[in-house]
Amino acid sequence: DMDIYEETFQKLICGCPSLEELRIVEPIINKLRFTAPNIRNLSLVYVEHSFDVPWSLDFPNLKSLDLETRH
């Protein structure tokens, strides 16, 4: 587990062009907005009420999406 601010996270994701799989577990954020053209497989585990905040995910080459809700 680690805490990363949105801007740092965006730089980390875009700075790793060989990163193709990403798993985000229970993000605690006010908003989630980032672009990652290299991500092909995304797994997102979120707390049910967390979708009350705006999320914008841009993965133009995404092939697989796995969503899991926790209560």
Side-chain angles (χ1 to χ4, degrees):
D1 293 357
M2 70 173 122
D3 295 332
I4 295 180
Y5 292 99
E6 179 183 353
E7 183 178 318
T8 304
F9 186 68
Q10 177 71 46
K11 288 179 182 179
L12 177 70
I13 296 301
C14 289
C16 298
S18 61
L19 179 64
E20 293 184 357
E21 294 188 26
L22 179 62
R23 180 173 171 86
I24 302 173
V25 179
E26 295 186 20
I28 300 172
I29 49 177
N30 293 327
K31 62 181 177 175
L32 180 61
R33 192 171 287 132
F34 65 92
T35 300
N38 49 311
I39 300 297
R40 297 192 183 279
N41 301 305
L42 174 64
S43 175
L44 178 58
V45 180
Y46 60 94
V47 179
E48 187 174 356
H49 70 276
S50 67
F51 267 108
D52 293 343
V53 297
W55 288 35
S56 175
L57 306 175
D58 182 16
F59 300 105
N61 295 310
L62 191 66
K63 302 292 182 198
S64 173
L65 174 63
D66 180 34
L67 296 176
E68 178 184 331
T69 305
R70 295 186 181 166
H71 302 280

